[in-house]
Amino acid sequence: KSKNEPTQAFLGLNESNTHDQGNTIQAVVSHLQTLQTGATVKIKILDDVYLNGKLIEAGDFVFGECDLQNDRLHIKVNSILVKNSIFTVSLTAFDLDGQEGIYIPGSIANDASKQATANAMQDLQLLSADPSIGAQAASAGIQTAKTLIGKRTRTVKVQVESGYKLFLKDKNSKD
């Protein structure tokens, strides 16, 4: 590569800003959205950002793909439309706690396990002196597993409030 050849810089922040912007782009969820794995989330950029020499202005929108895992809604932005140009990117959303993905309280697995255990315990007749208590316990375990698997396979949807702040970070950057 020659010295005069431009580098393949992924993102360059607006040089006119005098404060330190760090290695992220500030953004917010544009409006109240109900999301699930595979859904598209609309995100509003809060910082002016240069992408391959093209300005993405504060207030512009980008769109990310959602993946709900445990207590986190992971968002990946794979491309950005700027004017009439589409740029391939690799941005990941981070929450205010500095962790990847938006924190969504309430573990799916824990909820399913608690519900299944409660249901199984109702079915278990502990007061009976029936010698088949082992068979009843095995049945309760199977019911717990079935409920857990059923809940995981159901479509889980979460709501993210309008204006929910997040940070977008280049997945390819070293920091």
Side-chain angles (χ1 to χ4, degrees):
K1 201 183 224 186
S2 74
K3 288 184 180 181
N4 295 336
E5 193 175 321
T7 59
Q8 292 288 14
F10 171 65
L11 289 175
L13 298 176
N14 186 347
E15 291 85 16
S16 67
N17 291 335
T18 56
H19 65 284
D20 180 22
Q21 297 225 7
N23 62 356
T24 62
I25 302 166
Q26 295 183 74
V28 293
V29 174
S30 69
H31 60 279
L32 175 66
Q33 296 177 63
T34 301
L35 303 166
Q36 63 191 34
T37 295
T40 300
V41 60
K42 186 176 183 181
I43 301 168
K44 181 178 175 181
I45 300 294
L46 298 180
D47 297 326
D48 285 348
V49 178
Y50 282 97
L51 175 61
N52 291 342
K54 301 256 185 179
L55 176 64
I56 301 173
E57 296 180 18
D60 283 353
F61 296 102
V62 297
F63 298 87
E65 183 179 339
C66 298
D67 183 19
L68 190 59
Q69 297 176 15
N70 298 323
D71 288 346
R72 295 271 171 185
L73 177 67
H74 295 270
I75 301 171
K76 307 276 188 236
V77 178
N78 297 317
S79 62
I80 298 177
L81 177 64
V82 180
K83 306 290 182 235
N84 291 324
S85 298
I86 296 175
F87 294 97
T88 300
V89 296
S90 184
L91 297 175
T92 303
F94 283 76
D95 207 337
L96 297 179
D97 62 4
Q99 300 297 312
E100 188 174 327
I102 295 174
Y103 176 64
I104 306 291
S107 168
I108 298 166
N110 286 342
D111 290 347
S113 179
K114 286 177 191 173
Q115 178 185 352
T117 302
N119 290 344
M121 290 306 287
Q122 275 183 335
D123 294 340
L124 194 60
Q125 299 171 1
L126 292 176
L127 297 177
S128 126
D130 186 359
S132 65
I133 192 76
Q136 289 180 13
S139 175
I142 291 168
Q143 184 60 38
T144 300
K146 283 174 29 181
T147 303
L148 178 61
I149 291 167
K151 185 140 185 171
R152 283 182 181 244
T153 58
R154 277 187 233 146
T155 303
V156 178
K157 295 180 181 181
V158 296
Q159 279 197 339
V160 181
E161 296 292 324
S162 174
Y164 191 95
K165 188 168 183 179
L166 54 99
F167 297 95
L168 298 175
K169 185 176 186 300
D170 179 3
K171 191 85 168 173
N172 297 323
S173 73
K174 295 179 184 179
D175 292 332

